[in-house]
Amino acid sequence: MIRINEMKLSLDEDESLLKSKAAKLLKINEKYIKSYTIYKKSVDARKKDNIHFTYSIDVIITLDEKQIAEKCKSSKIQLVEPYKYILPENKRSSKFRPIVVGFGPAGMFAGLILAQAGLKPIILERGKDVDTRTKDVAAFWKTKELNEESNVQFGEGGAGTFSDGKLTTGIKSPFIRKILQELYEAGAPEEILYSSKPHIGTDRLAIVVKNIRKKIEQLGGEVRLECKLEKLICANGFIHGITYAHNGTLFDMETDSVIMAIGHSARDTVEMMYNLGINIIQKPFSVGARIEHPQSLIDKAQYGKFAGHKKLGAADYKLSCHGLHERGAYTFCMCPGGTVVAAASEKEGVIVNGMSSLARDGKNANSALLVGIEPKDFPSEHPLSGIYYQREIEHNAYLLAGGNYKAPAQLVGDFLKGMESKALGNVNPTCPTGVTLTNLDECLPQKVSATMKSAIVEMDKKLNGFNLYDAVLTAPETRSSSSVRILRDEFLQCNISGVYPCGEGAGYAGGIISAAVDGVKCAHAVLNDIH
């Protein structure tokens, strides 16, 4: 197969032209091109007067591909092998079925790989099925009555289900292609296979999650919903079984392999593991707020005169800078045309996140604006101190906003001046539980708010309008990543042999794709069966 890179199309050119352009670059007649597929597609918006698409395409021809590629003598043309995921050899001799705890991206893909290997895994998820969970979330947003086991954080699909479904990642892994292919086969849009900034959208994610569950079950695995892990049964440094609760009844189950893909909000499970003697250390995390602008402002800033072009859709951004106190500030999980999400999972705590539908057609753009928190900033040296610090910030936000799950909010202009907001401007906040206008200096740690103020000014130099006075900050965002790392060895096991800390909650991932990759890696470790 021949891959051709750096092919360009203007916004007004049709993708069908790629075939003729490829033939010209390969110096062959178009009739010799048997087929082609888009490998990568991105928007080049570096020059606002010449915004265009850039492609890499994979071409199969009826001629000698090696000879043609060598004849072209172009750095844009290379020979490649089609991607193929190869399932590792199953070296397990155990009579027990492996158990996966959690059905977010990490647990989902750990379970899928184990099922494809014929191991018939049992997957426990404390929350409900995605459809019932969606109803519970909608009810919380309307009535402000929180179900602590069925919410934005807990349930089938994990926290990523109520998000933009963003599939970008900074990691490199051969497993990313496998994950994208599985997501596509489960109902994600085809463009995730080639878009430089792939996303699924929260509306399509529910379909994808259900289809992956069905595939696991068809392969002999089980996904047991509303089943909460209560205890790991260990002896002599080895895992021997688990205890889980379902409908108020406790059940024991023997096993010698448990993948702990618990997510970043299963704080009670982390405490159980800590009390069991599992090695856990503090990990940096981030704190900040969601910043909302009119999507039209972001489109104009990024695309200039091409803003609103139907082929471009809603524009996004990714910004970072170093502000005060030598702390980094950055935007994270930017949701074009999206909404802010009330994402509480514990009573009397307020946290926010962001989500977008596949169409990304909302009036506002929102993104987390975050500041790094180092362990030296934690209240104590206790391994779980970061968790307690997060909880304290969330509870203070709950009280500051009135104790009814509204989120504290402030206009960006007022935030920069350090004065309480009294009225909204031209940007209507989208948080579904509502907001209480206040001064976020009373909600966020002082070093965080100071760094955010510096960052907003600096980021406006990179994205015109970022410091819009009427833009709305809604706080706090505290769950962008885990505040602990559950230590594991080169075989991906913790100090209890047979227990595999996995994904974002264990401190080894930071998004849907990186969590899913870690799930695949842990499944491979189980197949390798080293104890």
Side-chain angles (χ1 to χ4, degrees):
M1 188 164 66
I2 298 175
R3 179 165 298 158
I4 307 175
N5 298 305
E6 298 179 43
M7 297 184 69
K8 298 177 182 179
L9 288 179
S10 72
L11 299 186
D12 296 325
E13 289 183 302
D14 192 86
E15 285 182 351
S16 60
L17 291 173
L18 288 170
K19 186 176 182 180
S20 60
K21 286 177 178 285
K24 187 175 181 180
L25 286 167
L26 293 174
K27 301 175 183 177
I28 61 173
N29 192 297
E30 196 174 324
K31 68 180 182 180
Y32 296 119
I33 294 180
K34 183 178 180 181
S35 64
Y36 74 92
T37 56
I38 299 172
Y39 178 73
K40 188 69 71 177
K41 176 183 178 181
S42 60
V43 177
D44 188 336
R46 289 173 294 178
K47 295 180 179 179
K48 297 296 184 282
D49 61 342
N50 182 28
I51 294 176
H52 58 273
F53 293 109
T54 300
Y55 295 82
S56 292
I57 68 170
D58 289 338
V59 181
I60 296 176
I61 63 176
T62 56
L63 304 172
D64 186 316
E65 291 181 344
K66 184 178 180 181
Q67 186 181 65
I68 295 296
E70 289 176 349
K71 183 180 176 182
C72 290
K73 296 180 180 179
S74 172
S75 60
K76 296 181 181 180
I77 295 170
Q78 60 184 129
L79 290 172
V80 295
E81 291 293 327
Y83 174 79
K84 184 178 181 181
Y85 169 76
I86 299 175
L87 195 67
E89 176 189 356
N90 177 16
K91 298 179 180 179
R92 277 175 65 84
S93 57
S94 172
K95 65 179 181 180
F96 299 115
R97 296 165 71 180
I99 293 172
V100 179
V101 181
F103 199 61
M108 195 182 309
F109 277 89
L112 179 60
I113 297 300
L114 293 174
Q116 290 175 338
L119 295 187
K120 300 180 179 180
I122 297 171
I123 304 169
L124 305 179
E125 168 54 53
R126 67 192 291 171
K128 299 180 181 180
D129 68 273
V130 70
D131 292 328
T132 307
R133 176 190 181 197
T134 300
K135 293 176 183 176
D136 289 342
V137 169
F140 166 58
W141 290 347
K142 183 177 181 180
T143 67
K144 301 184 180 66
E145 294 182 9
L146 177 66
N147 183 332
E148 290 185 276
E149 297 298 337
S150 181
N151 47 59
V152 169
Q153 309 296 341
F154 298 141
E156 183 179 21
T161 303
F162 293 91
S163 71
D164 186 46
K166 204 178 307 297
L167 305 179
T168 50
T169 179
I171 69 168
K172 303 283 186 184
S173 171
F175 303 140
I176 293 175
R177 195 72 186 171
K178 163 70 171 174
I179 291 160
L180 293 175
Q181 288 175 347
E182 291 288 354
L183 291 171
Y184 168 60
E185 290 175 13
E190 184 179 10
E191 53 261 35
I192 72 165
L193 296 175
Y194 56 78
S195 173
S196 64
K197 297 179 180 179
H199 88 288
I200 299 177
T202 189
D203 48 339
R204 188 72 73 90
L205 270 165
I207 298 168
V208 171
V209 166
K210 282 189 286 187
N211 286 337
I212 290 178
R213 169 171 40 101
K214 290 175 183 176
K215 186 169 186 176
I216 291 170
E217 291 169 341
Q218 289 166 358
L219 291 166
E222 292 180 49
V223 180
R224 301 184 184 180
L225 299 166
E226 299 180 66
C227 292
K228 180 183 175 183
L229 177 72
E230 296 289 344
K231 184 181 178 182
L232 295 172
I233 302 170
C234 308
N236 301 319
F238 287 82
I239 184 74
H240 291 273
I242 64 157
T243 300
Y244 71 92
H246 177 64
N247 289 339
T249 303
L250 295 178
F251 299 88
D252 290 339
M253 189 160 46
E254 282 189 274
T255 187
D256 58 7
S257 298
V258 181
I259 294 177
M260 296 293 291
I262 58 177
H264 58 40
S265 293
R267 294 165 169 172
D268 49 0
T269 306
V270 174
E271 287 182 317
M272 177 272 290
M273 295 175 74
Y274 175 74
N275 292 332
L276 195 62
I278 289 175
N279 292 332
I280 299 175
I281 62 171
Q282 297 178 342
K283 184 181 106 19
F285 67 102
S286 296
V287 173
R290 282 272 150 183
I291 185 167
E292 285 191 271
H293 299 89
Q295 182 61 49
S296 58
L297 181 148
I298 305 302
D299 292 345
K300 183 69 174 176
Q302 297 293 65
Y303 295 149
K305 66 180 182 180
F306 296 101
H309 196 289
K310 63 180 182 179
K311 284 189 178 180
L312 290 173
D316 64 3
Y317 60 81
K318 184 177 182 181
L319 303 170
S320 63
C321 68
H322 289 283
L324 300 175
H325 314 293
E326 297 182 351
R327 292 166 186 269
Y330 61 99
T331 62
F332 177 77
C333 187
M334 191 272 164
C335 297
T339 59
V340 172
V341 178
S345 62
E346 295 180 344
K347 296 288 188 183
E348 299 188 355
V350 166
I351 60 170
V352 292
N353 199 352
M355 73 179 189
S356 298
S357 66
L358 179 60
R360 290 176 161 176
D361 54 1
K363 289 186 177 181
N364 288 0
N366 78 80
S367 175
L369 177 59
L370 301 176
V371 177
I373 297 289
E374 298 293 328
K376 65 182 180 181
D377 301 311
F378 294 2
S380 77
E381 295 182 0
H382 191 285
L384 308 189
S385 181
I387 287 177
Y388 306 144
Y389 192 25
Q390 288 173 318
R391 185 178 283 151
E392 179 186 343
I393 295 169
E394 294 160 12
H395 182 61
N396 288 341
Y398 173 82
L399 296 176
L400 181 64
N404 57 1
Y405 293 104
K406 286 186 176 183
Q410 189 175 14
L411 301 189
V412 164
D414 294 337
F415 179 65
L416 294 178
K417 291 181 179 179
M419 56 186 279
E420 179 180 337
S421 288
K422 298 293 186 181
L424 292 169
N426 293 322
V427 179
N428 290 315
T430 56
C431 182
T433 52
V435 301
T436 298
L437 291 177
T438 184
N439 187 341
L440 294 186
D441 288 338
E442 299 177 27
C443 171
L444 300 170
Q446 191 275 329
K447 291 180 180 179
V448 170
S449 61
T451 304
M452 285 173 60
K453 290 172 184 177
S454 173
I456 288 170
V457 174
E458 289 300 312
M459 289 176 179
D460 184 71
K461 298 174 184 177
K462 301 177 181 179
L463 194 152
N464 187 37
F466 193 78
N467 68 349
L468 179 73
Y469 199 107
D470 286 355
V472 177
L473 287 163
T474 308
E477 173 126 1
T478 54
R479 309 263 188 104
S480 63
S481 65
S482 176
S483 62
V484 298
R485 175 164 287 126
I486 305 171
L487 297 180
R488 63 190 191 189
D489 61 20
E490 67 269 32
F491 306 115
L492 307 190
Q493 299 174 60
C494 69
N495 55 313
I496 303 294
S497 186
V499 175
Y500 300 81
C502 180
E504 195 163 325
Y508 296 98
I512 291 174
I513 290 295
S514 59
V517 165
D518 206 54
V520 174
K521 288 165 62 177
C522 286
H524 285 194
V526 170
L527 289 169
N528 208 28
D529 199 33
I530 296 177
H531 291 283

